[in-house]
């Protein structure tokens, strides 16, 4: 997903706030799992080695949560689903449930543009506990609703992302 800073209608105050949250001082900047930041376009970027190095620390990590979407309506901006605690021992307090609304193919050069952000505080504990969520984004008439999609993720105070889900079609997978 692309977050544009100070880029007219490709940016907004919520996006600017995410730049501040992650302490991004220059672009390009890629952030893995909310924790590891890879900046610039120097050696290791073009061949992907710096990205692989950053990703390897999280590649096979497990999560104590499972997030599912039950509804996303791009025309109305409504999104709903559940966060389920799958760990019998984990207690998550003062985390954030973060919603992104993204638009693909905004122009010939701009895609995966973050249009809106919403965040709410959550706490969840106890294996099998289900926390329902819902939010409705305001949809601008200038956006192409056929190109809108959403991401929802749980982020801890230390910026680590525990789990995410997208409204994009997903391949078949096995829950482990």
């Amino acid at each position: 997903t692309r977050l544009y800073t100070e880029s007219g209608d490709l940016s907004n105050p919520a996006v600017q706030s995410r730049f501040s949250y992650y302490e991004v001082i220059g672009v390009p900047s890629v952030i893995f799992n909310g924790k590891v930041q890879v900046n610039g376009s120097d050696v290791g970027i073009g061949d992907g080695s710096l990205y692989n190095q950053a990703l390897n620390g999280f590649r096979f990590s497990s999560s104590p949560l499972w997030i599912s979407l039950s509804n996303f309506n791009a025309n109305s901006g409504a999104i709903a689903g559940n966060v389920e605690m799958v760990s019998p021992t984990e207690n998550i307090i003062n985390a954030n449930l973060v919603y992104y609304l993204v638009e693909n193919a905004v122009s010939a050069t701009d895609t995966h543009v973050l249009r809106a952000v919403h965040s709410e505080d959550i706490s969840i504990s106890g294996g099998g506990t289900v926390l329902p969520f819902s939010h409705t984004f305001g949809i601008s008439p200038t956006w192409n609703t056929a190109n809108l999609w959403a991401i929802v993720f749980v982020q801890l105070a230390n910026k680590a992302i525990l789990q995410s889900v997208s409204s994009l079609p997903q391949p078949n997978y096995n829950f482990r």
Side-chain angles (χ1 to χ4, degrees):
T1 302
R2 293 183 180 181
L3 284 69
Y4 290 87
T5 180
E6 300 174 6
S7 298
D9 65 346
L10 295 179
S11 188
N12 60 60
V15 171
Q16 294 301 126
S17 176
R18 293 308 281 182
F19 273 93
S20 297
Y21 176 76
Y22 285 115
E23 300 172 0
V24 173
I25 57 172
V27 290
S29 183
V30 177
I31 301 168
F32 291 89
N33 198 40
K35 299 283 286 175
V36 177
Q37 191 168 334
V38 178
N39 296 308
S41 57
D42 294 333
V43 175
I45 299 293
D47 68 6
S49 60
L50 284 177
Y51 297 132
N52 284 333
Q53 182 181 351
L55 177 63
N56 282 338
F58 306 105
R59 183 171 282 167
F60 300 107
S61 299
S62 62
S63 174
L65 303 173
W66 182 54
I67 306 175
S68 60
L69 287 183
S70 56
N71 177 56
F72 174 66
N73 183 317
N75 293 314
S76 69
I79 186 167
N82 293 305
V83 176
E84 181 177 350
M85 175 60 79
V86 294
S87 168
T89 58
E90 193 78 28
N91 293 313
I92 297 170
I93 17 182
N94 299 322
N96 285 307
L97 186 64
V98 182
Y99 305 75
Y100 279 6
L101 181 65
V102 183
E103 184 178 5
N104 286 349
V106 173
S107 72
T109 57
D110 301 310
T111 192
H112 308 314
V113 175
L114 182 60
R115 291 302 201 177
V117 178
H118 174 73
S119 179
E120 56 194 56
D121 295 335
I122 65 165
S123 295
I124 186 170
S125 61
T129 301
V130 175
L131 178 68
F133 63 82
S134 65
H135 177 69
T136 301
F137 289 104
I139 304 297
S140 169
T142 63
W143 300 342
N144 181 346
T145 56
N147 293 345
L148 292 176
W149 55 284
I151 302 168
V152 177
F153 57 93
V154 173
Q155 190 163 36
L156 299 177
N158 70 3
K159 299 182 183 174
I161 295 173
L162 291 182
Q163 187 62 277
S164 65
V165 68
S166 161
S167 65
L168 293 173
Q170 299 293 314
N172 290 331
Y173 62 92
N174 293 318
F175 185 83
R176 57 180 185 139

